[in-house]
Amino acid sequence: MTSMAALLALFLLAASAMSGGVQAQPLVPAVISFGDSTVDVGNNNYLPRAVFKANYAPYGQSFARHEPTGRFSDGKIVTDITADTLGFESYAPPYLSPQASGKNLLVGANFASAASSYHDDTAAMYDAITLTQQLEYYKEYQSKLAAVAGRAAARSILSGALYVVSTGTGDFLQNYYHNASLSRRYDVARYCGLLIGIFSDFADKLYKLGARRIGVTSMPPLGCLPASIRLYGEGHGGCVARLNRDAETFNRKLNATVEALKGRHADLKIAIFDIYTPLRKLADAPVEQGFANARGTCCRTGKAKTRVYLCNPTTAGTCRNASSYVFFDGVHPSEAANVFMAESMVEAGIELVT
Ligand SMILES: *[C@@H]1O[C@H](CO)[C@@H](O)[C@H](O)[C@H]1NC(C)=O
Ligand SMILES: *[C@@H]1O[C@H](CO)[C@@H](O)[C@H](O)[C@H]1NC(C)=O
Ligand SMILES: *[C@@H]1O[C@H](CO)[C@@H](O)[C@H](O)[C@H]1NC(C)=O
């Protein structure tokens, strides 16, 4: 199915969901997210020691109210766009925020934390919420939801919800590539195996806790992120082939593991949200997709090694038109690129919500 046909199918589904009653119903009751800055919607703002936060301009400049929320982009991130497509009128709140209470919990919760990763050690190095702790918060959320919705309704929300797991970039960029003790102990293939083992275990635990629809993002083309080109590039400004090969190794193993999870749990819908292919397409041929710049960052980043990832908090300065940039900062796509990626995920999405 082409992505246009897939979009149309999803639109028809949404329309038929709406024709039933007066109130439009989203296609799934809730969206529950785990992971890193690709899906963090503000949890790190509540962690005093967290190294990575997006709580300053120009983050959020084209989001609602044009204010920073903790999202690492100029506007919407992929899960926002997915929630829009599914028919939600509000986004699941960051779990650590005061908004994560009462009826707001009915549409889900977001446990993601920038600089978190599959490997808890990576998250701990940056004072982010480890994946293990995110799962603990999720268990706590289950009881809070039962208190708000009642036990039976909570169970059906939890089994109907779409679960998104989006993490792992930090295990490479913020750990493996500059951690000699790690790279001595594991070659890339074995390191990918270690991370995938953590994912597989996490998915099994989610399943045991009631999840039945899980979407996991693939590893992005690590070598095409502007920060990677700065730190590991060969000077010609092109994508770093070695890093992209590592991402492909990870993604092959992820594919096999997702197939294995399907085999183990007949009533589990699980799919890969492939972000590698669309981002690679944008990085290789931006103009064909309506972008002018795929190598630079829209906002001015810092120069120090640890600062090339994010917009510089002290020199606010952005490009004139974020929609013409694939990347907003050193690692995170612009809203326009997120829209492009979300469109290419519709097919996997349909597999999960129907
Ligand atoms: C290297 O990685 C290990 C395992 O993730 C971690 O415990 C350690 O702190 C890291 N060391 C450095 C110097 O980053
Ligand atoms: C794994 O790869 C095969 C071959 O490309 C593909 O048909 C299948 O859909 C992939 N599985 C997942 C879970 O993406
Ligand atoms: C911004 O860039 C996008 C994509 O290149 C383009 O479609 C749009 O017209 C531009 N907007 C302005 C105000 O220049």
Side-chain angles (χ1 to χ4, degrees), residues 5 65 82 101 112 115 120 132 144 167 187 249 257 300 311 316 322 329 349 354:
R65 294 202 287 274
T82 305
S101 67
D120 281 354
T132 303
K144 289 186 180 175
T167 196
D187 63 15
T249 300
T257 296
R300 209 166 301 157
C311 298
D329 66 12
T354 51

Side-chain angles (χ1 to χ4, degrees), residues 119 121-122 125 174-175 178-179 181-182 185 191:
H119 208 321
D121 284 354
T122 307
M125 285 159 62
Q174 269 120 43
N175 199 354
H178 51 76
N179 186 328
S181 84
L182 258 188
R185 257 201 357 255
Y191 189 61

Side-chain angles (χ1 to χ4, degrees), residues 290-292 321 323-324:
F291 290 80
N321 182 359
S323 304
S324 65

